[in-house]
Amino acid sequence: MCGRYNLIIDAEALIDFFDIEHAAIEEFSPRYNISPSQDVPIVRNTGSGRVLVLARWGLVPHWSKEEKPTFSTINARADTVADKPTYRDPFKRKRCLVPSTGFYEWKREDDQKIPHHIRLPDGELFAFAGLWDHWDKEGAGFDSYSIIVTGANETMQPIHDRMPVILNPAQYNTWLNNKHFNRAQLESMLVPYARTLKVNPVSRYVNNPKHDDAGCVAL
DNA sequence: CCAGACGTTGTT
DNA sequence: GTCTGG
DNA sequence: CCAGACGTTGTT
DNA sequence: GTCTGG
């Protein structure tokens, strides 16, 4: 599972790394502690280039009567994403990239839960495989998204048995091509990350969603 | 047919 | 214990 | 994911 | 909107 992550980078680097055609966000400050329900940058493909937009973490299906779903949609299981009513259509036509520089998982030890920060070897930018949808009510709509999760890879195993799907840059175009749907090809991308990750225990400071500074990635 | 769910994880 | 808010 | 609330009425 | 359960 993935219920908290960070995006410690400035807008310029984000736009550069993801080859963004149009950035539909006013401004962006590095985020150390992104929580569900918050508006966060995601990358979508419009057909004429990639756009960076703000979307709410926790996918609200277009058919939802309420502005908030009555069930958790922050994550979608890789093995059922093609079949679940909430994710089936987004999987076909509304795939997105969710930029990140690291995520947090809580390791259970006895009766304690110790937060860990997981990132790429050099803390570089990467992307989770995501799905989005648009909810609208009398013109007042918004975009929201979910992060796809799968089993843990070798590095993650000691911490937690699940992890978010991390895509490689070589896969971005195929994942974002919402005009072409090949279920088997797309599902083959939703696997545990093949490379080694860096895992560090951090202070419980990160536990509080109100905290959003460098203290979140320190011990 | 209509009503009600639509999700994930962890724990018992 | 369980739900809501961030 | 964790933190924090979890309730009602009447009065200012 | 669409599927499942009754």
Side-chain angles (χ1 to χ4, degrees):
Chain A
M1 192 169 189
C2 180
R4 214 77 78 79
Y5 68 98
N6 60 45
L7 183 54
I8 310 169
I9 199 162
D10 59 38
E12 197 180 340
L14 200 52
I15 288 163
D16 186 55
F17 181 87
F18 287 105
D19 196 17
I20 299 299
E21 191 83 14
H22 176 65
I25 56 177
E26 302 291 320
E27 56 183 86
F28 176 75
S29 299
R31 292 294 312 276
Y32 290 84
N33 197 4
I34 296 169
S35 306
S37 81
Q38 297 181 337
D39 288 325
V40 191
I42 62 168
V43 178
R44 291 198 322 227
N45 194 335
T46 58
S48 60
R50 295 179 186 171
V51 294
L52 190 67
V53 299
L54 285 184
R56 184 183 304 180
W57 188 10
L59 188 148
V60 182
H62 61 90
W63 42 259
S64 178
K65 287 173 186 129
E66 305 297 324
E67 184 170 343
K68 286 171 186 162
T70 56
F71 49 93
S72 176
T73 55
I74 63 171
N75 293 143
R77 290 182 63 97
D79 52 354
T80 55
V81 80
D83 297 315
K84 295 279 186 181
T86 298
Y87 302 125
R88 194 180 62 181
D89 285 354
F91 182 54
K92 282 183 182 165
R93 296 193 304 274
K94 290 186 168 66
R95 296 180 299 279
C96 65
L97 298 175
V98 181
S100 174
T101 48
F103 59 100
Y104 304 101
E105 294 284 1
W106 279 258
K107 179 177 183 176
R108 287 163 189 277
E109 279 186 280
D110 303 323
D111 55 352
Q112 287 199 26
K113 293 174 81 173
I114 302 164
H116 287 69
H117 180 208
I118 298 102
R119 57 202 151 126
L120 299 191
D122 296 313
E124 58 265 47
L125 186 59
F126 62 88
F128 296 125
L131 302 173
W132 67 279
D133 205 347
H134 182 81
W135 187 86
D136 195 87
K137 190 178 186 180
E138 292 157 14
F142 62 92
D143 293 336
S144 57
Y145 70 96
S146 184
I147 293 172
I148 299 177
V149 292
T150 186
N153 69 5
E154 205 171 332
T155 320
M156 282 294 301
Q157 203 68 61
I159 309 299
H160 200 66
D161 61 356
R162 309 281 300 161
M163 73 179 292
V165 172
I166 297 172
L167 296 178
N168 294 310
Q171 299 175 305
Y172 292 172
N173 276 334
T174 304
W175 183 254
L176 288 174
N177 183 357
N178 290 304
K179 288 177 179 165
H180 187 251
F181 178 73
N182 180 328
R183 177 174 171 163
Q185 179 191 33
L186 293 167
E187 283 180 332
S188 72
M189 299 183 188
L190 307 179
V191 294
Y193 193 59
R195 295 197 285 141
T196 302
L197 294 163
K198 192 189 239 182
V199 180
N200 288 108
V202 291
S203 158
R204 275 174 292 181
Y205 182 77
V206 72
N207 284 16
N208 193 329
K210 289 175 183 170
H211 296 159
D212 189 15
D213 56 59
C216 293
V217 292
L219 187 57

